Amino acid sequence: MSLNPLANPKGVKLLCELCQKPAYLQCTSCRVTYYCSEEHQKVDWVGIHEKICSLLLPLRTPIPLVSSEEERKHRQAQLLNRQKQMIDMTRTEGSKLLFEGAHEAAVPAALQALRFSIAVYGLSSVELVPAYLVLGEASIGLGRLSQAEEYLSQARWTVLKTPDCDAAIKSKMYRICGLLQAAKGNFSEALKNYANDIYHAALVSGPKHVKTSGGYFHMANVFFRKGQTETAHNIYSEVVNTWSEMLKNVVNLEETQAESTLTSFVDKPTQGGEILDEAQEAEAIQMLHAIYDLQQNNSNYGAANMVMLYTHSHFYIPIFWDTSRLKSSYRTL
């Protein structure tokens, strides 16, 4: 990707895509994105811009004057639909990058999700909360705890003033609040937040659903850090059981399709007809590999858990087993 240096005319204020400081560089592809430095351009490119560059021009170009009211409404509806699609794309990408440990790269995606959410829903909508949570979690991963607290304060305030806020959003909010407390070493507060996370996730999906398992996983991490390893390993095993059942269901359904080869469960329906996305696949990979790393020296849990997952996936989902250490642990049992 190349950049155009800019000499901004007097009175024209172009702002950096990442930091909102005066911009002096322009993306030569979309020509509607600006940066204060090459460093910020590179961060944005890796985080999200490479995926959305070609989509930004119609979103950032004013709707032209048209001859009829009907045409104007049609164009506005098109714009709104594109903006909503962009919100979904950037939210998912930001979450996916977080689960992959790419905290800095997740920030540009979350900022885009926040901007488009504001444009569509306004400044006070609960629809802004998912972007605040991605930004908060990215800040925790980068060690910027004060900044994370600011994002989470925005999220909590928005949820508080939205009486009918969806339980899934509350679940995610409590999970990130738990991460912040755990990062501060406040384990009791972290466990309270994870308990609230599990409760609200269970309201939506049930207590033994993969979407609820993340709260259990982080709760187990806290018990592990507190030295309560037996409790931690028992909870980890429940997480493995939950994902094993889901993988088994996906594989069983996929095997009914002729000449089907399953390499990922993204967009594959479970028995309940539910579709999981890239971010949820990345979460599964992150959690299950982390559990293996923690349990590999515990013969009562680690090896048995990995065999269960490997068996249930019938070797059809190699993305979970992309390291020789996992395959060798299966062979040695």
Side-chain angles (χ1 to χ4, degrees):
M1 173 184 173
S2 59
L3 295 169
N4 274 341
L6 299 172
N8 297 338
K10 186 175 180 180
V12 175
K13 293 183 179 180
L14 300 176
L15 302 179
C16 177
E17 193 77 359
L18 290 191
C19 66
Q20 297 298 291
K21 292 181 180 179
Y24 304 99
L25 298 171
Q26 178 192 52
C27 171
T28 57
S29 297
C30 67
R31 296 187 177 273
V32 290
T33 308
Y34 308 94
Y35 303 99
C36 66
S37 66
E38 289 190 21
E39 179 184 0
H40 278 189
Q41 177 271 322
K42 290 177 182 177
V43 171
D44 190 42
W45 181 259
V46 172
I48 194 65
H49 194 72
E50 180 181 13
K51 297 177 178 65
I52 65 173
C53 182
S54 62
L55 306 175
L56 287 175
L57 182 59
L59 289 168
R60 293 182 174 176
T61 302
I63 297 176
L65 293 175
V66 292
S67 58
S68 70
E69 179 70 9
E70 183 180 352
E71 178 65 17
R72 185 183 68 81
K73 289 182 178 180
H74 174 69
R75 291 181 181 239
Q76 286 180 331
Q78 276 188 324
L79 175 62
L80 182 62
N81 185 54
R82 288 171 177 167
Q83 289 173 323
K84 289 181 177 181
Q85 289 176 344
M86 191 67 74
I87 292 170
D88 290 339
M89 180 190 303
T90 51
R91 280 181 185 174
T92 299
E93 185 64 21
S95 297
K96 176 174 175 285
L97 289 167
L98 285 178
F99 291 127
E100 292 174 351
H103 297 99
E104 187 175 21
V107 172
L111 287 174
Q112 290 289 359
L114 183 61
R115 292 189 190 110
F116 283 113
S117 297
I118 291 172
V120 173
Y121 300 107
L123 281 167
S124 60
S125 172
V126 74
E127 294 291 339
L128 277 60
V129 171
Y132 285 135
L133 296 180
V134 174
L135 288 166
E137 187 173 354
S139 299
I140 294 169
L142 293 168
R144 302 167 187 167
L145 301 188
S146 296
Q147 188 177 58
E149 185 66 62
E150 291 179 12
Y151 286 128
L152 292 179
S153 294
Q154 288 277 5
R156 284 194 295 263
W157 171 245
T158 304
V159 168
L160 184 64
K161 64 182 183 178
T162 309
D164 58 346
C165 177
D166 185 70
I169 292 179
K170 290 182 180 179
S171 167
K172 187 65 174 177
M173 182 192 71
Y174 282 119
R175 186 173 304 179
I176 309 307
C177 288
L179 289 176
L180 178 61
Q181 295 303 323
K184 290 180 176 181
N186 299 331
F187 295 144
S188 295
E189 287 300 312
L191 288 174
K192 289 179 183 177
N193 278 287
Y194 292 141
N196 279 318
D197 163 22
I198 292 167
Y199 170 75
H200 286 93
L203 288 179
V204 179
S205 305
K208 293 187 177 294
H209 193 278
V210 292
K211 291 184 178 180
T212 310
S213 67
Y216 286 114
F217 170 74
H218 290 296
M219 182 177 280
N221 288 344
V222 171
F223 283 119
F224 192 89
R225 290 175 64 183
K226 291 177 67 177
Q228 296 175 241
T229 54
E230 187 71 18
T231 300
H233 286 310
N234 285 329
I235 298 175
Y236 286 139
S237 293
E238 286 303 310
V239 173
V240 172
N241 287 337
T242 298
W243 277 100
S244 293
E245 286 302 309
M246 193 283 289
L247 290 173
K248 182 170 65 174
N249 291 339
V250 171
V251 171
N252 288 342
L253 286 174
E254 193 70 11
E255 285 180 336
T256 64
Q257 307 298 317
E259 299 181 359
S260 175
T261 301
L262 185 62
T263 59
S264 168
F265 63 73
V266 173
D267 294 332
K268 300 293 183 182
T270 64
Q271 280 188 332
E274 188 173 16
I275 302 295
L276 302 181
D277 60 28
E278 289 184 2
Q280 289 159 334
E281 179 177 79
E283 179 185 24
I285 294 168
Q286 182 260 336
M287 284 196 302
L288 297 175
H289 280 190
I291 290 172
Y292 175 80
D293 288 337
L294 289 169
Q295 294 190 336
Q296 59 181 323
N297 295 321
N298 188 315
S299 60
N300 292 329
Y301 295 99
N305 280 340
M306 292 305 105
V307 166
M308 183 190 307
L309 281 167
Y310 208 71
T311 301
H312 285 176
S313 62
H314 290 81
F315 302 95
Y316 283 119
I317 310 182
I319 192 167
F320 283 111
W321 317 107
D322 57 358
T323 59
S324 58
R325 61 182 179 175
L326 295 178
K327 292 180 179 179
S328 64
S329 72
Y330 177 81
R331 288 195 298 267
T332 57
L333 289 170

